[in-house]
Amino acid sequence: MPSTPARIQALPVRRVRSAAVRCRSPTKRRSGRPVDVAPANHLISVPPARAIPLARRRAAPASAALTTLPPSATPKDEFDLGIGYMQRKDYALAEETMKNFAQKHPSDPLIADSQYWLGESYFQRQQYRDAAEAFLGVTTKFDKSAKAADSLLRLGQSLAALKEKEAACAALGEVTRKYPRASAGVKAAVDREQKRVKC
């Protein structure tokens, strides 16, 4: 494989890419413009946006990316967008979406779920104090919701992570007492967590 000429190697990535785009055909070269003298497979290309590291993407303002919903979007569409961000592990955008959802639709039936997922977005980023507050909100304001038992479990886990052992054990013990019909998965997680925290 022939080596890339020194002049091309020294060019910044942006310059090489623009040179390749502007001068695809050497016969149409205008004076003063750089010429791409390397074979096509030697060009340096800028990676697509999705290849940019996650940390750099998260540094961008989250609100700019939330404009993907059409104006006619329903509350369910907005909630589903937040869930999509959670599934992609884009927790900062999930947080922003769930906060916006709660502000715009405070009486929507999905409000308890959005509060739970807001807490989960904090929990996954190890922001345990914010997570505990969000989960506490679910267990106090929406204690009959489908996410109430999960929220109480996550509240206990958040408190344990904050080294609040007594409060964590109280929250974990409350799960099966307050929600005897909680799923087997939640009950098993409570048992594991109680053993781990040494309640």
Side-chain angles (χ1 to χ4, degrees):
M1 191 185 303
S3 64
T4 306
R7 182 171 170 269
I8 295 296
Q9 287 177 343
L11 288 175
V13 171
R14 196 178 304 123
R15 178 86 184 271
V16 172
R17 186 169 177 254
S18 64
V21 170
R22 286 186 300 196
C23 297
R24 292 176 191 260
S25 169
T27 58
K28 293 186 177 181
R29 181 175 180 261
R30 295 181 187 160
S31 62
R33 294 211 173 187
V35 177
D36 178 17
V37 292
N41 61 354
H42 283 275
L43 291 178
I44 302 168
S45 63
V46 177
R50 63 180 169 270
I52 294 172
L54 224 50
R56 280 184 42 212
R57 266 193 284 158
R58 287 195 182 130
S63 56
L66 292 176
T67 57
T68 54
L69 280 175
S72 61
T74 65
K76 176 88 166 83
D77 293 336
E78 189 167 348
F79 177 81
D80 289 343
L81 179 66
I83 295 297
Y85 288 137
M86 287 298 296
Q87 290 168 341
R88 281 183 14 208
K89 300 183 193 290
D90 204 336
Y91 301 120
L93 283 176
E95 173 196 343
E96 190 73 23
T97 305
M98 291 306 177
K99 278 182 178 176
N100 287 347
F101 179 87
Q103 286 172 354
K104 290 198 266 185
H105 315 289
S107 58
D108 192 271
L110 290 169
I111 192 71
D113 286 12
S114 76
Q115 183 78 14
Y116 170 82
W117 289 111
L118 174 62
E120 190 66 22
S121 75
Y122 290 130
F123 188 86
Q124 293 299 327
R125 290 176 291 160
Q126 300 175 357
Q127 296 174 6
Y128 298 118
R129 192 154 306 279
D130 291 331
E133 287 175 19
F135 294 129
L136 182 62
V138 177
T139 61
T140 54
K141 295 180 201 164
F142 311 105
D143 61 335
K144 303 280 187 240
S145 79
K147 287 291 186 189
D150 298 89
S151 295
L152 199 49
L153 165 63
R154 279 300 204 201
L155 174 60
Q157 291 173 320
S158 300
L159 291 167
L162 291 167
K163 310 291 186 224
E164 304 267 353
K165 181 180 175 181
E166 194 176 317
C169 290
L172 293 167
E174 194 73 4
V175 176
T176 50
R177 189 195 70 73
K178 197 171 178 182
Y179 303 104
R181 300 171 84 176
S183 71
V186 168
K187 288 177 179 175
V190 167
D191 287 342
R192 275 194 313 271
E193 202 63 24
Q194 285 175 322
K195 286 173 188 164
R196 190 182 70 79
V197 178
K198 297 183 173 73
C199 292

